[in-house]
Amino acid sequence: MAVKRFTVLDLIDMDLKEHNALNLRCIGGRKGLSRVIDIPDLNRPGLALSGFYDSFAYQRIQIFGRGEVAYLRKLASEHKTDTIQKMFEYPIPCCIFTHSLLPDSGFFEIAEKAQCPILQTDLPSSEFSSRLLRVLSTIFAPQKSMHGVLVEVYGIGVLILGDSGVGKSEAALELIERGHRLVADDVVDIRCVNGNILMGSGANKIIGHHMEIRGLGIINITHLFGVGAIRDKKQIQLVVELEEWNPEKMYDRLGTTDLTIDILGVKVPKLEIPVKPGRNIPIIIETAAMNERLKKMGYYSAKEFNQNILKWIESDSARSVYYGQDDFI
């Protein structure tokens, strides 16, 4: 799936907090803030500044740390600006100076003429690079939207799917009342991070923690149950599909069949739960979440039960053969 257009200005305006904060501010080249960032990677332009431009990764964000700034000062003292001018002939997305460092006035002039944004952060180069790569990997991650409800149950992210009116929101509401947390209702945005982690969140931050309950209307989960009943995003670790009870369908009664669903190329464990009057769906989902936690710890209840049955059958058969011998007649 194509990634939306992401510009340097979008990077500066991102509302990032705590360990994800980039602390970026623009110190030059404001006319180029609309430049698009196409590649979620970084480059240290040391070789380019020395005049070696073979395989120059100009499509990436250029990071200037203490080493690059020291070399820029050396070039300025020697009045050598040809390599800098050549660097800005490439369509660089932006240049970022770490450690609150500043380039010389000559660098600013060349960047302004090329309309290339110059940004600054107070973070060290290594810390800033790791944060920026983490942020970019999330932004450029493959994504899709699914109609369902995402809740956190005993630490497991459970995506509840099903046809409209089957009772997804009602089941989620009961789970919230029992102390679990809502991530998103109705539309869930899913991103595949690092190639194997599915992160789900609400499609809209403003209405993400509201729920539509037929016969009741729109309710605000935060106001009704408090901020402890919500969270902004959660890894999807289990998919529960609710469906109307079909008497002609054979449902798994032992749990030995491991169903999965493919979401953005990642296989996620899936359960099909039939809905009919008298079935307590929230308790079933709670139990499924706890059972999934046991599986991640290496304990499979259904497989252990199956092995115990086989052992019992084998021992009983052996006992029948033993007592059926002629020596005991």
Side-chain angles (χ1 to χ4, degrees), residues 6-8 29 32-39 41 57-62 90-95 115-119:
F6 186 74
T7 66
V8 178
L33 288 176
S34 60
R35 291 195 177 190
V36 177
I37 300 174
D38 292 318
I39 298 179
D41 209 344
Y58 63 88
Q59 308 95 330
R60 304 179 185 180
I61 296 174
Q62 307 297 311
Y90 293 87
I92 299 170
C94 65
C95 298
Q115 296 186 359
C116 179
I118 306 299
L119 311 182

